[in-house]
Each structure stands twice: as structure tokens, then as C-alpha cells.
Amino acid sequence: MTTASIRCENLTLRFPVYGADAKSLKKALARAVSVGGALGRHAGVTDVTALNGVNLELKAGDRLGLIGHNGSGKTTLLRALSGAYEPDEGTIDVHGRIAALLDLSLGIDPTATGYENIRLRGRIAGLSSREIEGKMDEIAEFTGLGPFLAMPVKTYSAGMQGRLAFASATAVEADVLLMDEWIAVGDSDFQKMAHKRLLKLVERAGILVLATHELPLLKLYCNKVMRLEGGVASEVVDIRKVEQLLAA
Amino acid sequence: MDTATHMLRTGRRGALFQLQMAARDLRNSFARIGLAWSLATHDVASRYRGSVLGPFWITLSMGLMVVGIGFLYASLFNLPLSQFLPYVALGIVFFGVMTGTINEGCETFVQASGMLSQTALPMFTFVWRTVFRNLINLAHHLVIVVGVLVFYGMWKVSNPLLALIGIVLMLLNASWISLLAGIASARYRDIPQIVISVMQFAIFMTPVFWLPGRFGEHQIYLDLNPFYHLLQAVRAPLMGEPVLPNTYVVLVSMAVIGWLATFLIFARTRRRIVHYL
């Protein structure tokens, strides 16, 4: 197994937000042919700087909590770390198998059964069909969904979907786990199991990056914390200084 | 640079770098081609979940259309059924695969937005998913093709090997159009409607239901219709007819130029596609 590490240098991410106007071909054409279009070709497209010069260095065993207001860039940073967003400036360098739990619906097909969804997610995460079958019992047990696994996922409650997603995503021996705060979905039983599994990940010297608004959760799982404000990141500080960071 | 355990993303720009990244995307998609296949089979299985006939439902409706149009047009235009029915059957089946690949191409990236925005999966994986899904459909429709060829004894004269080359050429071309439609549809929401209209127009302007016969001075329109060549390369060999050499010239050059141009566009837009969605 490789040693997990995350390094971001001067990571800047801008993205165009395409408004309804910008998605219309007619309006794009009208702009292209209009004489002297002084309003600019980018009418309707707004550039948003979601991350601005973020520097971040994490090594094996680090559990980073991301805090910040809504829209401060937490999820964008997680998506960038997952490899989905490419930086406009700077670099992202991640060693280790990445598992991202940002969106419950990843590869979840509501009409398919729980088992089929586990297979689908496993395939997306890079497992072969045989590897998935090998892990199936363990995953099935971890979800605690029992006979419900043979039923379509659309009949599940949000908490049950959360169990399914968490179980199948962490079944892959991930070194780097990226999580948006939805971990709070399950009931207390599940929370306990999830806790155990996260601890196991930490034991394996993995890296956890968790975005959350909840201080207790942060203190439970993380040993470091970083605050994002309008796409600008603070220093990474020890979890014990979280109050100071929040007050700043 | 990008392996299962190492991901590097930089803010480097420049045409050459963009091309390298696009090529890497393509390579990675081949390295994980099994994923595209799994997604495609899952799509087909989930679309027909709980139905008795499964994908054979489209085969059945296609079969009905073949029989209906075959009998109707054969009697309207006084054509021998034994020639015309296989002609229509092959036309509908193969044109359908082409239309399916291109029309569904519009959804390639839009449908995958959930996965594209939180994983480092190659974009091309989803292009192959669309292509494979249509290949699976084609496999079901082969029942019609084989049935008709056997029933009218055409299998004795048909040249399946040449037809296979035709199918490969057809898929090569349909897949770049599909990718192009996918990128454009992600960016502009009008595109799927336009693509569907064009494909609908094409099916009537191409000799699918009718014989090219005496086109006379208008023959040029037929020669200029790329869909005619795409269809001919598959249908003619199966019916034991020769394929004109210029059909291959058209198809090969279309595939080469089309893929080059589409790949350049893909290289330029690749990192933006996820933001379009």
C-alpha cells in the first residue's frame, strides 16, 4: 500500500456559472452575430473564484476538518481533491486510493436493488466484479439492511440510502476518504458502526477530509482543522485551536 | 501520472498539454473498458427491469415496423416482397443503431453528472457506455436480421465479413458524432432537440424505406448523404450487393476527419464539461 498524502499548492479554481441565458444556443448565436457586442461574449456566464490560492499539505494519519460558511468552497475543495475539478492555477497531488462520499446519489440507481447498487458503486470505485462478490457479504452485513438489499433503492429512506452509500464506498480499501457532512444521516446504531470504520481507516494510516458545520462531529473525527472563507483558506491548525479559528 | 493510487492535477495550460490530457483520458478509458461495459449492461438491465421481454420489446416494435412498412411499400410500389422486406429490415435495424448512438450521445455527460463531479473517472468511459448500450441493443435486433436473411434465403449470397467491416465503420463514425453531440448538449440545452430533428429528417432522406432506384440527375444528393454511405456499407454486403469503393473512401475519411476534429474539441472543452453540467 502506498503512503497516503495530499498536497495542494496555490490551488486556484475558477468556474464559469452558466446561467439559463448562457445555455441557450439561440442567445449564443445572437451574441455572435450582433454588431459590436460591447456587452461581451460572456453575457450570462459569470466567473466565480471558488478557491483562491489554497495551500494544503496532509500526510498519512491526518484527519482534516473543513469549516466555513455555505458557499465558502468546502465542497469545491473536496471535489477538486477527488479529481473531478481541475485547477486553474496550482497543483493538486494526491497519493492513495481516493473514495469520495460527497453525494449520496453517486452511481445509485433508484430502480435497482441494493445489491445491484453495491456492485455498481464497487465497479465505479475500481473493483473487479470478482472482488465485489468477495466483499459482498461483508458490505451487506455492514449496511445492516438485511432483506431490504434485495429491494429497489427507491423504497429506502434517506438514512437507509446513507447506510448503503457509506458501506459500499468505504468497502473499497480507500486511503483517502473525502466526506461531505451527510454522515449524520444514519441512526445512532449506524453512527457507531461508521465511527468504528472511520477509526479503522485512521489506523490504516489513511487520510480523512471532512467538511462539516457541526463542532462535535469535527472534534470526534478530526485532529486538524482548516477554515475556508470565500475560497481563501486559513492555516491548517490543531483541532484544539478550533475555537480560536472560529473566532478569527 | 494518473494511476489508481496517484492523482496529479495541475493548472497548466496550452494546446499541447490539453491534447496530452485528452489522450490520457482516452487511454484511461481503455484501461478501464470493463467499467463502461458494466455501466452499459446495467443501463439495459435497469431500463427493462420487470418487463417480460426486456430489450426484445424494441426488437418486437422494430419487427412490427419492418413487416408493416415492408408489406405496405412493396404493394404500393409493386416491388417483390422477397427483395424489399429484407431491404427494409436491414435498413431499419442498422439505421436505428446509428440514430440511437447519436441521439443518446446527447445524454452521455448530462446523465453522468453525478459521477463526473466527484470522481476522477475518464470522460471517455461514458462515451463508450453509450456506444456499448447501443451495441447490446443491436445484438438483440440481430434476431430480425438473421430471421429475414434466412427466411428469404439471402444468407446464401450475403457477405458477413464485409458487413462486419461496415458495422465497424458505422460505429466509428457514430461514436464521434455521439461524443460531439454530448459535449454540445452539455453546454447548450437546445442541442438534443436539434440532433433529434436532424436524425428524424435523415431517416426519411436516406434510402431506408425506399429504393434509391432511378435517381437520375439527383443522384448527387444521395452521394452527398453520409448516412446513405454508412448504411450501404452494412446493408449492401448482407444483401449480396457490391459496395461502391467511394463509399469506403467517404466513410474512412469521415471517420478520420471527424475524430480528429472532435478530439480537438474534446481536448479544449474537457476540463470544462463538468462545469457545464
Side-chain angles (χ1 to χ4, degrees), chain B residues 95 99 103 194-205:
Chain B
F95 205 89
T99 314
N103 285 349
I194 296 174
V195 170
I196 290 167
S197 311
V198 169
M199 290 313 292
Q200 203 154 51
F201 181 70
I203 197 170
F204 290 111
M205 298 313 281

Side-chain angles (χ1 to χ4, degrees), chain A residues 2 14-16 18 22-25 28 79 81-88 90-97 100 102-103 106 109 111-112 116 120 123-124 126, chain B residues 4-11 13 21 32 34-35 38-39 42 46 49 114-121 187-191 194 270-272 274-277:
Chain A
T2 47
R14 280 182 286 272
F15 45 73
Y18 300 90
K23 288 197 172 170
S24 152
L25 183 64
R79 288 192 197 286
L81 291 176
S82 79
Y85 289 174
E86 243 166 69
D88 285 78
T91 55
I92 310 169
D93 196 352
V94 180
H95 284 271
R97 254 182 201 263
L102 308 185
D103 184 349
L106 167 70
D109 176 352
T111 61
E116 282 168 312
L120 200 60
R123 294 293 284 137
I124 293 168
Chain B
T5 56
H6 184 205
M7 185 204 67
L8 179 65
R9 294 278 183 274
T10 65
R13 293 287 155 269
M21 290 294 282
R32 294 192 63 184
L35 174 62
S38 296
L39 289 169
H42 177 86
S46 87
R49 189 181 313 283
M115 284 181 236
L116 286 175
S117 59
Q118 56 178 319
T119 60
L121 289 180
R187 180 67 182 85
Y188 297 109
R189 296 298 147 95
D190 300 299
I191 301 288
I194 296 174
R270 187 188 53 83
R271 59 183 289 276
R272 283 292 176 221
V274 63
H275 298 307
Y276 294 159
L277 301 169

Side-chain angles (χ1 to χ4, degrees), chain B residues 19-60:
Chain B
L19 276 174
Q20 277 172 3
M21 290 294 282
R24 209 177 74 185
D25 187 289
L26 184 61
R27 268 202 316 276
N28 289 347
S29 78
F30 285 132
R32 294 192 63 184
I33 199 76
L35 174 62
W37 179 255
S38 296
L39 289 169
T41 48
H42 177 86
D43 285 344
V44 175
S46 87
R47 189 179 299 178
Y48 299 102
R49 189 181 313 283
S51 76
V52 183
L53 292 182
F56 283 111
W57 272 115
I58 353 172
T59 308
L60 191 73

